[in-house]
Amino acid sequence: MRIVERTGELLTLQELLAPDRERPGRVVLIEGAAATGKTTLMHAFAGRAVEAGATFLSASASRAERELPLSAVSQLFHDPALPPAETEQADRLIQDGFLTVRALGVRPEGEAVVRVPPPILSRLTAMVLKVAEQRPLVIGVDDIHHADDASVQFLLYLARRIGTARVLLVLTECLRPTRPHSLLHTDLLREPHCRRLRLKPLSEEGVADLLAEHVGAATAARLAPECHRVSGGNPLLVHALIEDHRMAEPTRPVCLTFGDAFRQAVLTCLYRSESTTLARAVAVLPDGVSGGLLGELVHADAASVASTCEVLQAAGLLDAGGFRHEALRAAVLGGMRPDERTALHLRAAEMLHRHGAPAAVVADRLLAADQARTPWAVAVLRDAAEQAFAEGRVSDATGLLRLALRECGDDDQRPAVHLDLARAEWRIDPAIAARHLPDLVRGLRKGRLPAGGDATLVSWMLWLGRTHDALEIMTEVSGGVTLPHAGPGRRAEHGPRTEPSPWWLPYAYPGLTRLEGLGDILRPPGRAPDTAVPGAVAPSLRAEAMLANALARGAVQEAVARAEQILEEAGPAFKSPMLIAAIAALVYADELDTAERWCDAFGRSTATWPPQGRALLMAMRALVHHGRGRLDAAVKCAREALTLMTPKGWGVVIAIPLATMVVSLTAAGRYEEVEEYLDMPLPEGLFHSPFVLPHLQARGRYYLAINRPKAALAEFQTCGELMTGWGFDVPGFVPWRTDMAQAHLVLGDRQNARRLAAEQLRMLSPGQARTRGATLRTLAAASDVDRRTALITEAVELLERSGDRLELARALADLSELYHATGQERRARAVEQRARALAAECGAGEIGNTLSPRLAEVDERGEGAGPDLLNGLSVAELRVAALAVDGYTNRQIARRLHVTTSTVEQHLTKVYRKLQISRRTDLPVTLLLQSSQDFPA
């Protein structure tokens, strides 16, 4: 290995070897943590000493030979530098010494001197000093802490008799938690001519220097900070990381890789430090655990734990709180046999539980052991799973509950554990959780599910579209279900609460309430037509219930207020689909800005959300994008939503992303792609739920686009019949009257079209600008010519404000045709240009193709300006801007208004600033609606 940051120590050794007849021989102890380069330094120095003419005799002590007397010393006399005759003589002396010590037996406890006969020590010392007479002699003994007592006695005997001989005795010792060698530290190292050199770990710069030699300077600069953080500057660990990096270089050229070399290096450090047992305890216990618990786990006293931790810190494995990196923990655990690892995790779990550690901490050890057979273990796993579930860590909760279910031997407790597991898996993908339903239903019929379990099963079955199974449970359980305190899909609290049906059922499945013979079971009692909510709803759910009630009544402003209340009270974790329902309510209330803001807010937390939550939020993003006219983005988000959960897992809710996909592809003119999504199988129960309505609307719009108006009319009519029959006639959700009116227009039935559009217009609140604008556009097309201008003008104003660019483009196209019909060609061309630009930006194929081909393609267009911004313009600015949007040049405007061209330019500059636009093509088309009398010829 290359010497890095050891120059000072190397120079010290060379100075000690320099000839000086007045200076006695020297003893140097190189000490440091395991694998910090002690042996490398000694041999590097020995190489330089030999080059300078010295003789180097070396030995390496071994833990395995510690009970063999003179085993370390014997290596010194087998060096090729010694003549064969002296080697043979030394062998005889060492053999005599070995036999003598063995014959005398083990020394008494506490006796410091091993009984090696002095004559043997004297003759061996004389042989060494004879070598030093000819040239300087360096004696190196590696790992002196493993040397047998007889060898240490010889080295002590030699050191006292070196005198002025040119002898340098170099020893290396590894820091260990056990008591140092008594002879070495009480006698030898107390000699006045003895020096100590303590090796420190490498600095980050030293690590970078070592890396650069193997991976190049650029890569070394990138890897050095993390490499130093992981290794603590331990050279062996750095070299191991270099080796693993080189092995993985084709796939990960600039990242650290923790492979076999690193794992083996960690185990080597532990072995050399004699700290394996405590390191394993640290690996199975949480970071920052007290020394008392560490000692209890491995049956060690506080002093031993403290000294071992110091050794591990010096070796670069631990910092103040635990392992420096999780890869170190993994390496320690990976060095254990599976049965050892399991037993240690279980002992750690039992100890932590006994000391009152949090359930999550204890459960992590049970999970690592993959066993939970003690009486308290299942309860701990359930508590930890509940905490993980509340924090949004659904995958963690699932793992804990799977272990709890497998290990649970209590038949009464098992169904509750099973329900917990199904609830956690439901958040990942309902299709996964569905496999538990048969067992859970059997547990329900035996009366073993906890309170609220029946309603949870009903809600899941209805989500999956299995209405028959849900109705069977509802009719079996005393003519009703026990409500969960936490609402559908959440963990039920204990304590029975019985109602004829869940409060949410008439809203989520209004079709079921119309089935013959089920009215008494499924309809909530005493529901008033205004803001009344079933009285049994828990206080924590009243906002959700009131939102559903407001939506069903078409109370748009109330629904918006309730939706925002739910969203503001929600935390960052995904705990209920009601959060998504609140965002959907904002979309259907035409509050697209607010809905998009909440999507973005929750989107920053979705990394920790389960797949179900991410899929539902992505479906909401698709809805918002479609409402904005961003067809490509809507298609992308809808497609991603459909990949985050299986079709079966989506259940009846799959109709939302499917409908968004179909209407977006249809609007984009990508008809060949639509069939793929229309052919997807749908759950049977979908047609009892409002989720079917967007699906029917999407099919109808597709049929209308491919010139099948009668098929489209049938879809829209079915949609209307369901909505009116369910008492759920909410135009913001599905404006079926507008859709039917458009189909009637294609069929030439203007009278019915006008009637339907006018009827829907009366049902809309003033704040629903998007739906109101689209309805006015349809009403204009069905009205007489003299009414069209006013209707389409109002539609354009509303759609400019709503942010729906696609519907605005359609309204502008209609306005352009109206101008053409009335001979206003200049205005017609200007409006057409704006409509074409909007349609192109939205990705709408059809509207661009149907516009007049007389216009050149445009690449850009600007934002629309609302009435408030236009009100900020002066009369002069308004006149100039209106003529500019009408296609007049600055010079033509100047002549028309009898002002200079410079004045026109100044007015336009002020208009751009006030309207927050940057170019002429951004001017809002609504400026064209100014009276022509304001602009004299």
Side-chain angles (χ1 to χ4, degrees), residues 172 219 249 349 612 644 702 857 859:
T172 70
T219 302
E249 204 164 19
Q612 185 193 46
L644 285 170
Y702 169 66
E857 295 290 337
D859 296 328

Side-chain angles (χ1 to χ4, degrees), residues 509-532:
Y509 284 87
L512 295 181
T513 64
R514 308 298 175 183
L515 297 180
E516 184 177 357
L518 295 177
D520 293 337
I521 296 176
L522 301 178
R523 293 191 185 110
R527 177 177 162 225
D530 49 16
T531 59

Side-chain angles (χ1 to χ4, degrees), residues 749-764:
D749 186 355
R750 293 178 59 203
Q751 182 177 354
N752 271 322
R754 186 165 55 250
R755 175 183 59 79
L756 287 165
E759 185 179 333
Q760 179 167 292
L761 196 61
R762 289 192 295 271
M763 299 177 66
L764 293 169

Side-chain angles (χ1 to χ4, degrees), residues 516-591:
E516 184 177 357
L518 295 177
D520 293 337
I521 296 176
L522 301 178
R523 293 191 185 110
R527 177 177 162 225
D530 49 16
T531 59
V533 174
V537 176
S540 61
L541 298 177
R542 290 191 67 83
E544 300 177 2
M546 294 178 77
L547 169 62
N549 191 273
L551 287 173
R553 293 183 290 104
V556 176
Q557 296 307 315
E558 181 186 344
V560 170
R562 299 304 177 193
E564 292 218 66
Q565 177 185 350
I566 292 169
L567 294 169
E568 287 168 359
E569 292 175 355
F574 176 77
K575 298 180 181 179
S576 167
M578 185 53 69
L579 182 151
I580 303 299
I583 296 176
L586 294 174
V587 174
Y588 295 131
D590 289 348
E591 295 289 338

